[in-house]
Amino acid sequence: MIPSNVKRKGSSDETAPLSDSGSSSTGGSRTHRPILCSSLEVAQADGDAGFAARDNPYIPSLLSFAIEASHPLIQSWPPIRVRILSALDQSRIKWLSLGVLRRRQTLKQEGDDTTVVLTVREGNNIAVLERVEEVIYQICCSSGHSGLWVEVLEGGVDWFSGIEYETRPPGGSSISATEVDYSVGTMGGYIKLTGPNGPRVMALSCHHVLRPAPLNSINQYTAEIAPGQGHHIRVSQPAEGARATDISTRQRNLHHAEKKVKNLQERVEYEPWRAKELEIAEKSLLIIGNELGNALEFNNDFGTLFATSGFKRSLTRRCALDWALVDVGHARIGQNKVPRLGRVPLGFELLSEGAAVIEVAELNTEDVVVKAGYKTDVTYGYFSHIKDDCNLPNSTLMTSEHVYTSRDGLPFAMKGDSGAFVLNQAGVLIGLLIAGNEMAGTTYVTPMVEVLRDIQQVTGQQASLP
């Protein structure tokens, strides 16, 4: 909340900032920092004043809220951004991110809380940071946006790439051969083979994921693996490489959390209002430590390779066939479910997260599709009506592939998503994601009907969904 009767902090006497043209400037500039309110003021604004102690010195943190599509700054931000980036380049500070958010301490919006947020690394010169902050405000003012706040945060930008450790993993989880740490793909889900000895549930991914060519080599391990001939190849889930990276990240996060707690413990002695911040940091440290312990103790042995297609071309559709079946340990067999959908595009309104995937259908060129992959998680794709002619890696045959792209500028899939199940708007399984062209932003999907047909031919057993 920004009280209307309070002026913004700063004056032209505080700093002698560097202007965005590179010269020193003092005339009329102000540091434009959000003004923090007491816990009582925040509680009053949110209608919870009866629960706030009047003598509580704790200052609630600022909360972040998205910029809505109708916000007037959206049209004028691009040139402002260019000028700020130029100023940051001149300043030589170590910065991590620049953006705009609505930032306030309260849940309710009162007044304009639009804030230019700059995140910097630890260790920058404070005086230089203050000059940069002032320059950013000057740029905003000269662009007709003197009402903007400017906030400089010191911290880090993290990759949100943690993996889940689930005994019975869902489709979209990482998978690899146990003997390698340089190849990671996606376990799409589960299929059922029904033969003379009854039904067996297998996990499905790609041949090139679970039988990767050795590093710096090509045209090796291209042949199919006959049923039962791959049990000497153990399979890991989570994948070996993904798990190693995740554990390393968790260990690094634990180290940072320990440093933060130690720092707050020292500061709280002479800044008692930081007691709440210390309490939160200690709880976070406990959670991070417990999650790291769980990751280290998790047994990622998933099963053994049962059969694969090798690299070959469908005789009827001329598309690539690239599948692999894993004989999964009984205690680790999961279910085929609709993934977490997030913000859904038109056509997916009736699809329910967590619903069972029980049907297979032909690929329909009018379908908008959804997939869950290890690398890019849940994304939506759109069919392109002209196929790609491809010379896929480790294959000597040119194939003709069904192409999917994204409409939001982000990739539908990336390296690491091979093996993902592709579903239509009704939650019906229609394809197996096998490859893509990241430079062109395209993804190749083999019709699941064709995959199951080939599995039946290779294994001599009926293939269907569990």
Side-chain angles (χ1 to χ4, degrees):
M1 184 183 80
I2 302 171
S4 57
N5 62 337
V6 179
K7 294 183 179 180
R8 301 177 188 273
K9 293 182 180 179
S11 71
S12 59
D13 298 328
E14 290 187 7
T15 60
L18 182 73
S19 74
D20 63 310
S21 63
S23 61
S24 177
S25 171
T26 60
S29 63
R30 307 183 289 174
T31 303
H32 214 63
R33 301 169 184 167
I35 298 173
L36 300 180
C37 302
S38 69
S39 58
L40 178 60
E41 290 175 302
V42 171
Q44 288 173 334
D46 277 336
D48 296 325
F51 298 93
R54 294 182 180 276
D55 59 349
N56 184 359
Y58 174 63
I59 303 297
S61 300
L62 289 165
L63 306 174
S64 294
F65 299 87
I67 299 296
E68 64 277 11
S70 59
H71 197 291
L73 182 63
I74 291 177
Q75 296 296 323
S76 50
W77 175 245
I80 296 175
R81 168 184 168 272
V82 170
R83 293 176 63 191
I84 294 176
L85 290 176
S86 177
L88 291 176
D89 187 52
Q90 293 179 47
S91 73
R92 299 185 182 278
I93 65 170
K94 298 177 180 178
W95 63 279
L96 295 162
S97 67
L98 170 71
V100 182
L101 293 165
R102 287 195 177 276
R103 293 273 286 166
R104 58 182 182 269
Q105 293 168 288
T106 62
L107 298 176
K108 299 178 182 178
Q109 181 182 347
E110 184 175 326
D112 189 2
D113 47 27
T114 309
T115 307
V116 177
V117 182
L118 174 68
T119 305
V120 301
R121 294 185 186 275
E122 296 179 355
N124 284 289
N125 183 283
I126 298 300
V128 175
L129 288 181
E130 289 183 347
R131 292 207 309 272
V132 169
E133 182 180 0
E134 197 76 18
V135 168
I136 293 174
Y137 176 50
Q138 290 179 26
I139 293 172
C140 294
C141 287
S142 65
S143 302
H145 292 277
S146 59
L148 290 174
W149 301 101
V150 176
E151 186 178 11
V152 178
L153 304 176
E154 192 176 64
V157 175
D158 298 317
W159 293 109
F160 297 151
S161 59
I163 60 177
E164 298 293 331
Y165 293 86
E166 300 184 57
T167 302
R168 297 180 181 273
S173 305
S174 68
I175 194 171
S176 75
T178 303
E179 63 184 16
V180 302
D181 60 4
Y182 55 84
S183 175
V184 179
T186 296
M187 190 277 292
Y190 303 89
I191 71 163
K192 179 175 66 176
L193 292 184
T194 303
N197 298 322
R200 304 168 65 181
V201 175
M202 304 270 179
L204 180 61
S205 186
C206 288
H207 171 92
H208 78 265
V209 169
L210 299 180
R211 196 60 170 152
L215 290 174
N216 302 318
S217 68
I218 59 174
N219 296 327
Q220 291 195 40
Y221 303 152
T222 60
E224 72 175 42
I225 296 177
Q229 299 301 306
H231 281 305
H232 62 288
I233 302 173
R234 301 210 65 82
V235 176
S236 296
Q237 193 292 314
E240 292 297 323
R243 185 187 186 203
T245 300
D246 180 71
I247 288 176
S248 176
T249 300
R250 292 178 188 272
Q251 290 172 330
R252 188 165 57 250
N253 289 343
L254 180 66
H255 175 67
H256 290 323
E258 289 172 339
K259 286 181 61 178
K260 182 175 183 179
V261 167
K262 183 179 179 181
N263 178 264
L264 287 172
Q265 287 172 337
E266 294 173 352
R267 297 178 68 177
V268 77
E269 296 181 8
Y270 53 90
E271 296 178 345
W273 59 85
R274 293 190 180 274
K276 184 65 175 180
E277 188 177 355
L278 173 60
E279 179 185 345
I280 294 172
E282 289 175 334
K283 289 181 178 178
S284 178
L285 175 61
L286 180 62
I287 292 172
I288 292 172
N290 288 338
E291 290 180 345
L292 173 60
N294 292 337
L296 290 169
E297 295 173 4
F298 189 84
N299 180 5
N300 67 333
D301 182 33
F302 192 52
T304 58
L305 201 56
F306 176 71
T308 77
S309 62
F311 294 115
K312 62 184 179 183
R313 183 175 62 191
S314 165
L315 296 178
T316 55
R317 307 194 193 208
R318 299 182 62 80
C319 61
L321 289 166
D322 179 6
W323 55 262
L325 293 177
V326 180
D327 194 355
V328 184
H330 180 73
R332 299 216 59 193
I333 297 174
Q335 296 178 305
N336 294 325
K337 295 182 177 181
V338 174
R340 172 187 53 79
L341 297 173
R343 183 179 178 182
V344 299
L346 292 176
F348 282 87
E349 297 88 351
L350 301 180
L351 191 58
S352 300
E353 295 181 3
V357 177
I358 57 176
E359 295 181 56
V360 176
E362 275 284 2
L363 186 151
N364 188 322
T365 59
E366 301 305 318
D367 281 336
V368 179
V369 299
V370 61
K371 76 98 183 71
Y374 157 67
K375 189 66 174 182
T376 56
D377 199 17
V378 177
T379 55
Y380 297 90
Y382 300 82
F383 185 80
S384 179
H385 288 261
I386 297 179
K387 292 183 179 182
D388 274 13
D389 293 312
C390 302
N391 291 301
L392 297 176
N394 290 312
S395 176
T396 59
L397 299 173
M398 187 172 72
T399 60
S400 180
E401 304 298 338
H402 293 287
V403 178
Y404 283 84
T405 64
S406 170
R407 287 185 181 174
D408 57 9
L410 299 174
F412 175 55
M414 296 178 67
K415 187 175 182 179
D417 290 330
S418 292
F421 279 7
V422 179
L423 311 179
N424 65 14
Q425 302 100 311
V428 175
L429 178 58
I430 62 169
L432 181 70
L433 194 158
I434 63 161
N437 183 338
E438 291 189 9
M439 294 297 290
T442 55
T443 298
Y444 305 137
V445 175
T446 300
M448 185 56 69
V449 169
E450 191 69 18
V451 173
L452 294 181
R453 182 182 294 121
D454 194 60
I455 289 175
Q456 290 181 178
Q457 184 174 345
V458 172
T459 65
Q461 302 182 53
Q462 182 180 353
S464 62
L465 293 185

